Amino acid sequence: MNGTPRLRSAFPSTPQTVNNGQRQFRSPYSSPTARGPSKLPSVSSLQKKEVKEPPLEPLIPIDTIDAATQRLIVFSFYVCLWAYRLYDFYGLVTQSSSTESLWLFMKWVGIDGVVLFGLPALRIPWLEYSAPAVTFLFLLHVLADGMLMFKVGLPITIWLEVLAKTLYDREMSISENKVKPADLFDSSSFISGKQIINILPEGSAFLNPNKDSFCLGGVIQSINLPIQINQTQPILIELQRTDLDTSAKETITIKASTLKSMRKAAKKTHHPKDTSSPLLLHYPIKKPGIYVLQKVVDESNLQVRPRQSNVVVVQCPTARVLQTSLDKCRGELSDIAFEVIGTPPLKVKYRKMVNDNPVEASFQSIQPDEFTSPLSRQQQLAGTVMRLSDMDATWARAQRVVVPVNETLFNSGRWWYAIDEVHDALGNKLSYVAKSDDYEQSKSKATEQQRLFMVHERPRISLRGFGEQGGCDSQHPLLVAKGESINLPVKFDSEGKGPISDTLHTVNYLFTPTDDILSNGDHNPDYQKPLTFPFKNNYDHLSIRESGLYSLTSVKTTFCEGEVMEPASCLLQNPPEPEVSIEHTNITDRCAGNPVGLSVTMDFVGTPPFQVDYQVSKKGEKNTALKIFRSDGMRGQLTLTPEEAGEYTYKFTDVHDRYYRAHPIHHELKQTVKPSASAHFVSGSPAGPLCLYEKTAFNVKLGGEGPWKLEYEISHNGRRNKKVMSDITTEHITIETDTLDSGGDYIVSLLSVETGGCKEISEEQVTFKVRHQRPKASFGVIDGKRHIHTLEGKQLRLPLRLTGERPWTIEYQNTDLPSSSVVKHTAHSENFVLEVSQRGTYELKSVWDSACPGVIDEDADQFRVDWIGRPTLSIAESPTVELSGSKYVKKEVCEGDEDFVELGFTGNAPFDVKYEEHATPLKGQKSLRKKELNAALGAASIQLETQKSGDYTYKFTELSDSNYDHTPKRFTPLTLTQRVNRRPEAKFSHPGKTYNFCVSDSGDETIPITLSGIPPFHLEVEIRHGGTAKPETISLANIATNTYTLRIPTKHLNQGHSYLSIGKVRDSRGCQSKPDTTVPPSRVQISVHDPPTITALEAQSDYCVGDYLNFRLSGSPPFTIFYTFRGKERKATSSSTQFRRIADDPGIFTINSIADSASECRTSSPIVKTIHPKPRGTLSKGKIRTVDIHEGGEVELIFDFTGTPPFEFTYIRSENVKGKGKDGREGGQVLETKTESTYESSYRMVVGTEGAYELVSVRDGFCLSSKVRVGTGKKVKLLT
């Protein structure tokens, strides 16, 4: 909302375009009402006005990207162009190509033209420059492009000097302080004060000066109406209030006592610096209406003319969501409505959330039908003035408008509507912004501004069709036994993604009995029954029992009606009950004619398959056998042939079909059986092949009456071996084979059995297989051998070769470890591998396959495993390396000398060594550095650290080769130590010092030297005289201490400059110093000079504060000047032959002596100068005083002076102008200039003319003080 109040630090509002094509700038503190005129035009004047078309909006709508962001994007693009431009300029500087310069100049002129002339087309606020402005900017860019691309030189050095002088303009004063010359001439320090005389204007009063908007209602029960007064002390204010409902007018009188308290409260909050500045009063009101400032009376009982102003106070806008049902169905309308109350036209912003997907929307221009707001007409017709107080006030009363929000509920789930904001026509806003947890908690604590309801899916129902499990339709009926029930195959679904779970479904359906179904298969209206069943959930079942036609008619859940899909009808039928008729015939023995069994024939009625239950009992035995006979057709044949003789009874009890179970029947058969001889194997063939060189046996049961004679044979590889067993008296016998020493297929056949003279041929036989070989196990080879070398501890896979049937059980042992036990392992592959990690000889002990024991190949029953040796590290002993205890010690070396140590390796190259270098320097902190070495051969060397003196320890911590990584447990670290001795040093105790001599001086001069190392020392010193190429060397031997005083006789010194430097130094350990090229050499200078002099450049002896004192120096710079100022001795230095100081304080300045850098001699030359202070002048005690008088009044001006009389001063009178005058400078135009003189320190005069009086210059007996007139830029004429 554009009228939202902003902080003072905020950006200004974007300029808005009104209908007259001009852009208006809005104050960031103004309210929406402040942007429109305060008076409405008459209808006749509106008809005469021609409505102008509004100007074009920005090319990119502000709703998409706001104006401030668009300006930021343009500015960033412009900065990038300049960066690219400077990049091209840098390329030109490095390449120096004139052809490239011309091309780049044309390129950038084109780019600047496109950007600058294309910018107005975007119509971005604040960037809509006029055509002349764009042309001027383009020409500036063309000039800049030419200077950059053609490398036109600029006086940058001069600019930098001017800039530095401007930013840091300080000079050394005679007090040896850095002072700013401008501060010494600062007019505010010497001339101050100003008196302003104003003629008071008439007072004024203004209602609601900031054009704020106000409303009452809800939590706002009272507001403060702002009234601004200026240059007046009102004792009576009358306000006229127009009621918004009745248009009745009411006069409100604010009396003097109330106004007094209002002024007191306003001054507490405003704190004005000037009592005559405007004051903002606040009057509390509690009733809405149109308020107009009607009358103001000041303390002189004169009526103050109030400015035309009014303010409209309306009822605060409100909005709520009307009640609606909490449950709806998918596809319905939302049936939501917003009730908005306020001064139309209104605006509502709301939020909708569907299953956590938020959508924001708004309604604007909400107003009743045929309603017209004067504010909307006022916005449409620019340039007109309309008085709200003269119109009917009913337009501002609160209106109630219901805004329907009807949209199709296309998604199921939770729907949430919430009102965020409501605005009225005057800019009043009420915010209901929902918090983040309102959506989750709205169901339990919803407010009037929120509504939550559920949208449910519509159910669908059908029957499972034919082909689905338990499916049914009108062409494929359900069959169920009479009297039994079945579940109706109902299938639930919905319009969404699946069935609605855990919800009650009420299903209506029709039922017509089978006998009453119409001939066309439809329901009979006379006999159909409408039924209802509530399904508790999707897994609930509807059981039906009575045969007939079932049809689904409707379905609904708790909230929504559903749809019935096809198939929707199902026919339930009861099949006929099963029945059976039984007939039988006897079965007799062909040899003896005895009955041996029955042949039973059964004819069925019902639905196949059929099952008949019957019982078999033998006379003399208590046990009864239960038997079952099954038939897939309508007729079945059952043969009953008992194996044992006796009287048998067969009782048939129940018959079953597909749909009926255990339908009872009553039929019984009896027979006395004498069976013939028979023989049968009790068990069948073996489950798998038999092992080679084993035996097997089979059990046989004989039938009939004994004794028996049995013939059988064993067949293998085409050979038959017949055998006979006679006089068998028992029913159960065993047939055993010989040792099976040949592999292949075997058949054992029963040929015949004979008893009582009747011989019966038998066809019983069993078959089995015998393996051709025994299982076998052996070790395979690796690289053609059963012997391998591998890394220590590495997992190794030993190959095994197995024959036989999977799986195998293997036993093996490591024979090199007598304590190791035999290991058993299971193998599942013929080419199996044994995983081992120990070295030794592995031997196979035994092998079994899935069923048979095997043999071990004696030629391949062992495998040998050995380890590869680990790497080792050694340090070779030599004359420079010796073993001391557990560590090696290297011979001491001097700092900077190169030194190495030789290492030896065993193992497989390359070798990787990691070692630590522990440094303990003589000075400084200890350090640790970790290093690595890669050796390609069995020997290598490492360079030892000798750059810094100290003790060094090298600890070799890790070793690895191409086969083994480092293993801490298998490696013992080696340690090597060495001491690096520091080289001796010699330097002057005061390097760089110049030892000076005067011409008159004589005698020897000493120069101290400091040495480091172990004495005695041998030292060489070099002396180089000015004008000589070869230095003179002096050797000094047997220096027994670390300090030495060097004495140079005068005979070795020449007048002028000589340099003394250190050559070489060697200590008792034989270490010699080396020149350090990174630092300057240690040396001193010796000079012999004449004494310096100083001379004043000005003959005058009197100076003013701010004047310069100049002196000329002779000698060798830099110079040291000794002087006395204000009784205090001071010292100054000068690096040139001129000594200059600015006078910052008054006093006596005396130069005592001078010394230069060539010697320590001083030259006495007293020079005396007197410095006087500048005179001071003040007006109105140095303060800015404002006096308000009426016409004819007078004011006294008081001038005060400090200095040496007599005094002459100049003052001016100028216009009273706030801000800048006509000439563009601060202050008004100078109207009058006058000069006066006096011997007194104070001067008074009376004036009565309006204006600003100011003192501009004052002069005493020695000095002059003046200032530049602010506003004219010119100096006022000074006294001379």
Side-chain angles (χ1 to χ4, degrees), residues 1066-1117:
R1066 184 175 63 253
D1067 65 356
S1068 60
R1069 293 178 297 195
C1071 294
Q1072 182 173 309
S1073 64
K1074 285 187 177 181
D1076 190 355
T1077 58
T1078 60
V1079 296
S1082 177
R1083 67 178 185 177
V1084 295
Q1085 183 178 357
I1086 301 173
S1087 299
V1088 179
H1089 292 280
D1090 293 329
T1093 61
I1094 182 169
T1095 306
L1097 295 180
E1098 295 94 359
Q1100 67 187 73
S1101 60
D1102 293 318
Y1103 292 83
C1104 295
V1105 173
D1107 292 343
Y1108 288 94
L1109 285 73
N1110 300 290
F1111 302 89
R1112 181 184 295 112
L1113 310 175
S1114 64
S1116 299

Side-chain angles (χ1 to χ4, degrees), residues 861-926:
D861 63 340
Q862 292 184 347
F863 204 108
R864 179 68 184 173
V865 178
D866 286 324
W867 285 348
I868 299 174
R870 287 185 170 273
T872 61
L873 171 65
S874 63
I875 298 177
E877 295 189 28
S878 65
T880 60
V881 179
E882 62 180 9
L883 181 63
S884 175
S886 60
K887 62 182 179 179
Y888 293 88
V889 179
K890 193 80 167 63
K891 185 178 180 181
E892 297 181 1
V893 294
C894 295
E895 185 179 34
D897 293 344
E898 292 188 354
D899 198 8
F900 299 86
V901 64
E902 298 292 334
L903 303 178
F905 302 95
T906 61
N908 293 320
F911 301 94
D912 290 325
V913 179
K914 293 184 179 180
Y915 62 96
E916 299 174 352
E917 180 185 289
H918 298 265
T920 306
L922 298 179
K923 293 183 179 180
Q925 298 292 331
K926 296 182 180 180

Side-chain angles (χ1 to χ4, degrees), residues 1 32-33 213-214 312-314 343 345 375 388 395-396 424-428:
M1 181 174 176
T33 58
S213 58
F214 302 96
V312 181
V313 181
V314 299
T343 302
L375 295 180
L388 299 179
W395 66 270
D424 66 3
L426 298 175
N428 296 300

Side-chain angles (χ1 to χ4, degrees), residues 995-1031:
Y995 293 89
N996 298 310
F997 300 89
C998 295
V999 175
S1000 59
D1001 290 345
S1002 62
D1004 295 337
E1005 183 72 16
T1006 61
I1007 300 175
I1009 299 177
T1010 302
L1011 300 99
S1012 62
I1014 305 299
F1017 299 96
H1018 179 83
L1019 177 66
E1020 290 184 0
V1021 181
E1022 296 180 352
I1023 303 177
R1024 185 185 299 275
H1025 299 291
T1028 61
K1030 185 177 181 181

Side-chain angles (χ1 to χ4, degrees), residues 39-46 377-378 381 384-387 391:
K39 182 178 180 182
L40 296 177
S42 62
V43 177
S44 60
S45 64
L46 293 177
R377 293 200 305 269
Q378 183 178 353
L381 303 175
T384 61
V385 180
M386 306 178 70
R387 292 188 57 185
M391 299 185 60

Side-chain angles (χ1 to χ4, degrees), residues 1077-1274:
T1077 58
T1078 60
V1079 296
S1082 177
R1083 67 178 185 177
V1084 295
Q1085 183 178 357
I1086 301 173
S1087 299
V1088 179
H1089 292 280
D1090 293 329
T1093 61
I1094 182 169
T1095 306
L1097 295 180
E1098 295 94 359
Q1100 67 187 73
S1101 60
D1102 293 318
Y1103 292 83
C1104 295
V1105 173
D1107 292 343
Y1108 288 94
L1109 285 73
N1110 300 290
F1111 302 89
R1112 181 184 295 112
L1113 310 175
S1114 64
S1116 299
F1119 298 92
T1120 303
I1121 299 96
F1122 300 89
Y1123 65 92
T1124 302
F1125 179 62
R1126 302 182 72 174
K1128 182 178 180 181
E1129 293 186 356
R1130 304 174 188 267
K1131 181 175 67 173
T1133 59
S1134 176
S1135 59
S1136 65
T1137 58
Q1138 184 178 4
F1139 176 59
R1140 182 180 180 181
R1141 288 290 185 268
I1142 189 171
D1144 59 340
D1145 286 318
I1148 304 300
F1149 177 81
T1150 304
I1151 291 182
N1152 301 321
S1153 62
I1154 181 173
D1156 64 358
S1157 60
S1159 66
E1160 299 296 332
C1161 302
R1162 287 190 184 184
T1163 301
S1164 300
S1165 55
I1167 301 175
V1168 180
K1169 303 288 184 180
T1170 302
I1171 302 172
H1172 300 277
K1174 282 193 173 186
R1176 298 177 181 270
T1178 61
L1179 174 60
S1180 300
K1181 302 301 181 181
K1183 299 180 180 179
I1184 299 177
R1185 180 185 176 194
T1186 302
V1187 180
D1188 297 327
I1189 62 175
H1190 296 282
E1191 288 290 340
E1194 291 182 341
V1195 177
E1196 184 180 38
L1197 300 181
I1198 302 176
F1199 297 92
D1200 295 309
F1201 306 104
T1202 302
T1204 303
F1207 300 100
E1208 291 185 3
F1209 63 94
T1210 302
Y1211 70 94
I1212 62 173
R1213 181 176 65 87
S1214 58
E1215 293 179 330
N1216 288 340
V1217 178
K1218 293 183 179 179
K1220 296 183 179 180
K1222 296 181 180 179
D1223 54 0
R1225 301 179 181 270
E1226 295 293 335
Q1229 183 179 2
V1230 176
L1231 303 176
E1232 185 179 6
T1233 303
K1234 289 186 179 183
T1235 302
E1236 302 289 345
S1237 63
T1238 180
Y1239 281 87
E1240 303 296 331
S1241 60
S1242 179
Y1243 185 82
R1244 297 171 180 265
M1245 60 186 304
V1246 178
V1247 295
T1249 307
E1250 184 180 38
Y1253 293 83
E1254 187 176 0
L1255 181 65
V1256 295
S1257 70
V1258 60
R1259 180 178 180 179
D1260 66 355
F1262 294 99
C1263 301
L1264 172 68
S1265 298
S1266 65
K1267 70 176 182 179
V1268 178
R1269 169 71 182 105
V1270 178
T1272 63
K1274 301 178 181 178

